[in-house]
Amino acid sequence: MPKARKAGRRAGRSGTEAIDYEVSDRVALQASTRPYWAPPGAPLTRPLRIFTFDPSVSPRIGGIATVNVPYEDLEPGPVGSIFAIDPTGAPPPLQAGPLDLDHPHLLLSDGLTPSPADGRFHLQQAYAVCSLTYAAFRRALGRDIAWAGAPAVPGGRVRLRVRPFAFAGKNAFYDRAGNDLSFGYYRAGKAPAGHTVPGGLIFAGLSHDIVVHETTHALLDGLRAQFHEPGNPEVLGFHEGFADVVALFLHLTHADVLERAIRDSRGALAGVSLLTDLAREFGYASSSPGRPAATRSAVDAPGIQAFDSDVPASGRKGPRAYRPGMEEHALGSLLVSAVFEAFTTVFRRKSERLLRIAGLAPGDLGRAELGDELVRALAETASLLAEQFLNVCIRAVDYCPPVDMGIGEYLRALITADCEVVPDDKWGYREALMRSFRRRLLFPDHVFFMTEDAVRWCGPDRTVEIPDLSFEKLRFDGEPGRAAGVAELERQARALGRFVTAPENTSLFHVFPPGGPRPEGVDYVSPPRIESIRCARRVSPDGPIRFDLIAEVLQGGTVRRGNTLFDFNGGSTIVIDPFGRVRYVIYKKLDSVERQDQQLRAMRGRLKRYWQRKGRRWVPVASLFRALHGSSRRS
């Protein structure tokens, strides 16, 4: 748990005394990660060549692409403002010293030629893909994202260390304590599937999908640090599924790859394993030639699904659906397949007009030969659509509760985030998402209608304003996506802390006085803690820009069940408009006995390997994501 400083007490408006609150060190941490600010005349992007999937995919079908990475001055490594690539540890026969991407020869040639045999290229691949992932988040959220594991260094710059040759082993993971990404390498079997060389070296750090996946873990940890505490299996399932969703849509944005896939599949994207597979080489190297399998796929295997109890089980065919007791990676796969199904549904809708112009019927998609111009038009449509879905999926994180996330709640966040930017959903993005989640039994509890107004979060039932947080009183560093500094962030946090702990507001934000009546099931209550306060900028397709403040208020307690003690958290995500009005309070209650019991069952049962017992108290393991992927588990 992060350190926090007590911000004192004050008198409430009603004359009663407001309760204590704290400001987390994570508030100041947000000022420690600063992307490069290009001076006038500097390039906007740096072209670099990468593997769009991994070394097993031929350049002939789009396995190599030149991508535009956000430009920044680099030190050899490469070391930039956000990432520091560590060249140490390359196994024989590779050699890799620090890579200087600012060398004139590399500037003129779009970097090194992609090759798994060149140890320096591994560094280029890691830097480029990590940078593209960070840029996607920054574009979707409209702000800088700080790393959760970085120490708070006022005015300093904290980078995420990336180690492409971290260890010999079939794994990759993000570690908060070390503030790094570690990628392993291993030798393939004697008869691997695909085009992998028997006994050849396989590097997780050369897989586009694995690098994006692990970078996304780090970014999501920076945005929602309490998802690091595995209170229920769906928190971990969401972490895994969300990381795969980002990886999937980022590789779908490469138009050249899409063109070839659309031509070969005649427009049926869901049937193109190259597009729907995740970490293909990593899985094939462990598969047999007769049963090749990628690490994961966005298309799930058909299963039995109970839509209607009046229909015999033999007639209820559908995608694999949620069931109690599912393993975390299986839960994540459900999320990926639900989002991908919605993507393909909208793609079919947008393709119909193009097909009719070409003289084809919508039903011809997947069957008829497609002309070159039509292929290019469909690829552009799919690439733009993938970018739009990626933006929606990332923006939705701002509308998630700060603790104990459920996958059904992510659907509510998706619908809310998209409604905020695109009120008129003429292509049915939101309908497609609701239907695909429903088909997998991932629809949120306590929502009784499959309509946008029922699924999206509701605002407060009364007007609530925080004058000290109106944009006219905020200070920024050049743009709203970058706060003026630590002092300004802490001022904003204190303004929020004073407001939420005022006696007349505690019920709205579901906070409890530490010295007052204890919430049900909780032995000890800590002061409410302002965990973060950040600006969000969103651009709608028709031009208007929306700004909000996104804040997290957490409150912890100690729960006792017999001789067992464990920490338990509640809290709220608060969305505040530029005039200081509270638009949403998305909360999890500290006094929820149901959630307390759920966490205890998980710690003793399915999630036991993510917890350790110290005396009578249960605490999370130090490296959650290393445990999540396991020593032999695929990333």
Side-chain angles (χ1 to χ4, degrees), residues 569-586:
N569 290 305
S572 298
T573 297
I574 305 168
V575 181
I576 305 163
D577 76 7
F579 303 99
R581 294 186 293 251
V582 176
R583 304 182 63 242
Y584 297 102
V585 180
I586 303 163

Side-chain angles (χ1 to χ4, degrees), residues 466-474 491 549 576-580:
I466 311 177
D468 287 341
L469 292 180
S470 65
F471 271 42
E472 69 176 2
K473 296 187 178 180
L474 305 185
R491 184 198 69 79
L549 283 179
I576 305 163
D577 76 7
F579 303 99

Side-chain angles (χ1 to χ4, degrees), residues 104-264:
H105 294 174
L106 297 184
L107 287 172
L108 290 170
S109 60
D110 299 341
L112 295 166
T113 301
S115 169
D118 184 349
R120 296 184 307 153
F121 173 74
H122 293 238
L123 311 178
Q124 177 175 303
Q125 173 86 2
Y127 171 75
V129 177
C130 285
S131 297
L132 290 173
T133 309
Y134 188 94
F137 274 74
R138 192 165 184 256
R139 181 172 58 248
L141 299 174
R143 64 173 181 268
D144 303 341
I145 300 104
W147 306 117
V153 183
R157 173 167 285 167
V158 179
R159 302 173 177 90
L160 186 73
R161 186 166 65 126
V162 181
R163 304 192 301 159
F165 313 110
F167 58 90
K170 197 189 318 182
N171 204 351
F173 55 84
Y174 155 67
D175 180 51
R176 178 195 285 184
N179 196 44
D180 60 19
L181 306 180
S182 296
F183 299 96
Y185 56 87
Y186 69 101
R187 292 198 176 276
K190 294 181 179 179
H195 302 290
T196 304
V197 175
L201 279 169
I202 307 298
F203 293 88
L206 287 181
S207 167
H208 180 285
D209 296 336
I210 293 177
V211 175
V212 175
H213 181 105
E214 301 308 332
T215 309
T216 299
H217 275 316
L219 286 161
L220 182 56
D221 197 32
L223 292 168
R224 285 289 183 271
Q226 294 305 311
F227 289 2
H228 196 271
E229 296 188 5
N232 75 70
E234 291 190 30
V235 175
L236 300 181
F238 173 71
H239 240 295
E240 281 294 286
F242 179 72
D244 278 349
V245 164
V246 175
L248 173 71
F249 284 128
L250 267 181
H251 80 220
L252 286 174
T253 59
H254 298 304
D256 291 345
V257 177
L258 281 167
E259 277 193 34
R260 181 58 188 245
I262 287 171
R263 181 176 285 107
D264 291 348

Side-chain angles (χ1 to χ4, degrees), residues 45 50 80 98 197 239 262-263 290 292 295 308 316 384 405 449 474 538:
T45 59
I50 63 167
V197 175
H239 240 295
I262 287 171
R263 181 176 285 107
T295 303
D308 189 335
R316 297 197 297 266
L384 178 59
M405 241 293 269
F449 304 98
L474 305 185
R538 303 172 178 86

